[in-house]
Amino acid sequence: MSERSPAPGGLALVESLVNTLDVEAGADALDTPQGRARFGLTEDDVPGARELRESLRAVLLAHAGHPPHRAVTPLGELLAAAPLVVTVDAADGTAALAPADGRPLLSRVAAAVAEALVAGTWTRLKACEAADCLWAYYDRSPAGRGRWCSMRVCGARAKMRRYRAAAKEG
């Protein structure tokens, strides 16, 4: 959908997970063995991954100033079940967050959110406002006010709809 480059750091994982569902085409990459393998998921893990994906999408819509697309489990509730530990490399002293239990995707997402909070980039990850898209994208605009995953596609469609509505009224 988007011609934008991937989100930085751990946010690329979040962006990639949200974008496993192509809303317009109705295709879900988590339905395929290759799609599940990208996230280390089994078929039994898919319902939880979908719940996480849609909770993330709701937050990304909020980052862009839009209401959620549907009722979802609050992301904070899901991430509360993702214990993390701080690891420190003995050789160089670098620290990182790592999963503390057997829920690796949830913990990896929690670590990515924590990393983005520290970096100040969390609210730059957004979801396209187009109801037939909802694609996740990283907003690199100077003011951080991006609304669509692509100005050439979703932005142009929205502007054309507004133009046609105004022409119809006038």
Side-chain angles (χ1 to χ4, degrees):
M1 295 255 174
S2 176
E3 71 269 0
R4 296 175 186 256
S5 57
L11 286 181
L13 168 69
V14 174
E15 180 181 47
S16 180
L17 177 60
V18 172
N19 291 341
T20 57
L21 178 64
D22 182 335
V23 173
E24 189 172 25
D28 188 340
L30 297 180
D31 288 337
T32 68
Q34 299 84 5
R36 291 188 297 273
R38 284 180 40 214
F39 299 97
L41 300 173
T42 66
E43 283 189 53
D44 292 340
D45 297 327
V46 171
R50 284 187 175 130
E51 179 182 37
L52 177 59
R53 175 183 67 198
E54 296 314 312
S55 294
L56 285 163
R57 187 184 318 278
V59 169
L60 303 187
L61 282 164
H63 286 173
H66 311 299
H69 59 299
R70 62 184 176 92
V72 296
T73 304
L75 182 59
E77 287 181 24
L78 294 177
L79 295 183
L84 300 171
V85 295
V86 176
T87 61
V88 180
D89 186 287
D92 65 7
T94 58
L97 291 172
D101 71 2
R103 301 178 73 177
L105 178 60
L106 186 61
S107 293
R108 287 172 44 217
V109 167
V113 170
E115 173 192 307
L117 286 170
V118 170
T121 57
W122 174 235
T123 58
R124 289 280 183 149
L125 191 60
K126 300 177 179 183
C128 183
E129 77 174 40
D132 59 349
C133 180
L134 303 176
W135 203 250
Y137 67 94
Y138 188 77
D139 183 1
R140 287 185 166 78
S141 68
R145 294 190 182 140
R147 299 174 63 186
W148 302 286
C149 66
S150 167
M151 268 312 291
R152 290 187 298 160
V153 179
C154 293
R157 287 178 185 167
K159 289 179 178 190
M160 185 55 70
R161 281 188 210 107
R162 281 197 305 269
Y163 172 79
R164 288 180 180 155
K168 194 178 206 179
E169 288 177 12

